[in-house]
Amino acid sequence: MTRKQKRLAVIAGGMGFILAAVLLVMFAFSQSVAYFYMPAGCGRRRRPAR
């Protein structure tokens, strides 16, 4: 492999690794991530019982 091919392989591998990590995080948090809370909804949320 030439130097350029090695560099491209490392970049492609790194991007693949990052993509896999992002997909795993999104899958893990798919049900529990809230991207935005309305101000009125913050007061109505359940509070944990002590």
Side-chain angles (χ1 to χ4, degrees):
M1 286 176 69
T2 65
R3 189 173 177 183
K4 187 176 183 178
Q5 289 173 333
K6 287 180 186 177
R7 187 181 312 130
L8 287 174
V10 168
I11 291 171
M15 290 183 74
F17 180 78
I18 290 171
L19 178 64
V22 168
L23 288 175
L24 284 173
V25 167
M26 290 183 74
F27 179 73
F29 289 126
S30 64
Q31 296 297 319
S32 63
V33 172
Y35 297 108
F36 180 74
Y37 282 116
M38 295 293 291
C42 291
R44 283 191 254 151
R45 290 193 317 186
R46 288 185 177 176
R47 307 225 175 178
R50 291 186 187 191

